[in-house]
Each structure stands twice: as structure tokens, then as C-alpha cells.
Amino acid sequence: LTLDQWYNIQQNVKKVAVPFAVVAFFISWVWIGAFIFRNVFVGVMVRNFEDISDQLKELDERAKRQKMFRRQVRKLQAELRRKRREAKKRREKIDSDVMNSSGEGSLNAGTSFCSSLSTGTSFSSQLNYLLQKDGTKVDNWDKTIVH
């Protein structure tokens, strides 16, 4: 198949066998061998290119998924920041309403509200009062607040 010194080998075989048969054999041997070798070589190359192409597609898909994931994370982080700002404003409003509802706005009213948050005593009644005062309809405050 490598055709190294094939002519010398052909000449030596011609001395022993029929020259026409030797020539036909060597031509067919070289042709079939080269054909098979080329096909194997091309097949290996095509297979490698397909593998590389599949790897590149997989990397592209992974990059797209990561980009989409990052976009979703940024969106969720922005929504979380917005919710935290809303909750902070709401807490500040509730604290100011509690301070104002005590009549004098003393520090004791604010601390009693904070202590009711930690202990859970009379918190529901205070929260219902404040939310209803704000115009929020309350249905089982601990489960659903309907605006």
C-alpha cells in the first residue's frame, strides 16, 4: 500500500509468474489498497470534523443557557430589590402609623409594637387595624392580603 520499491518487487515476481498476471495483480492491488486507504483516511477525517462540530454546537448551547440563566438571575435580583424596597416602605409606614395611633407618638408605643412583633401578642389586631385604616381589605391576615 505504501508503494515502497513496488517496481523491484514486481520485477522479481515477473521472473517467477506470468508477466500479464503479475501486472494485473499489482495494478489491482495498488488501486484497491489506495482506494481503501483513502476511504479510511477520509472517513476518519469526516468523523473528527463531525465530533468537533458537535462539540462546538454543545458549547454554543451551553453559552446560550448560561446567558439566559444570568439574565433570569439579574431579573430576579432586580425584582427582589424592588420587593425589599416595598417591604421597607410598608414597614416604615406601619411603624409611623403605630407611632401616630398611640396619640402622643411616644417611643413606648413603637417599642411595644416591636415587642408585639417578636412575641406575636396582639400583633394581628394591630396589623388588621393598620391595614384596614390604610384601605387594604384583610382576609385572614396571615394567609392573604387583598388590595
Side-chain angles (χ1 to χ4, degrees):
L1 291 177
T2 61
L3 302 179
D4 289 340
Q5 298 187 7
W6 70 273
Y7 183 74
N8 292 336
I9 296 171
Q10 179 187 5
Q11 293 304 320
N12 290 336
V13 173
K14 270 187 187 179
K15 292 177 187 174
V16 179
V18 179
F20 178 74
V22 171
V23 172
F25 172 76
F26 273 97
I27 290 176
S28 63
W29 176 255
V30 169
W31 186 77
I32 290 172
F35 179 75
I36 290 172
F37 180 74
R38 272 189 231 121
N39 281 340
V40 168
F41 180 76
V42 169
V44 168
M45 294 302 291
V46 167
R47 177 64 186 241
N48 286 338
F49 282 124
E50 287 176 353
D51 290 345
I52 291 170
S53 175
D54 290 344
Q55 289 173 355
L56 287 175
K57 286 178 184 176
E58 184 178 318
L59 287 174
D60 285 343
E61 289 175 11
R62 185 181 300 164
K64 287 178 184 178
R65 284 193 309 264
Q66 286 177 346
K67 187 176 181 179
M68 185 177 65
F69 178 73
R70 286 187 190 118
R71 193 177 314 137
Q72 288 176 344
V73 166
R74 283 192 302 267
K75 185 178 178 180
L76 289 173
Q77 286 173 339
E79 185 177 344
L80 180 61
R81 285 191 298 271
R82 184 180 59 81
K83 294 283 186 179
R84 284 182 177 164
R85 283 192 303 268
E86 289 175 3
K88 183 179 178 183
K89 287 179 184 178
R90 192 144 188 130
R91 257 186 266 120
E92 290 171 355
K93 185 171 183 348
I94 290 172
D95 286 343
S96 68
D97 286 348
V98 167
M99 295 290 277
N100 292 337
S101 69
S102 68
E104 299 174 1
S106 66
L107 183 60
N108 293 336
T111 55
S112 67
F113 179 71
C114 291
S115 66
S116 70
L117 284 176
S118 62
T119 60
T121 58
S122 73
F123 173 69
S124 62
S125 62
Q126 289 181 1
L127 185 62
N128 284 333
Y129 169 75
L130 292 173
L131 290 174
Q132 288 172 354
K133 183 178 174 187
D134 189 33
T136 304
K137 181 181 175 188
V138 178
D139 293 331
N140 296 331
W141 69 271
D142 57 340
K143 297 179 182 165
T144 307
I145 297 178
V146 181
H147 293 282

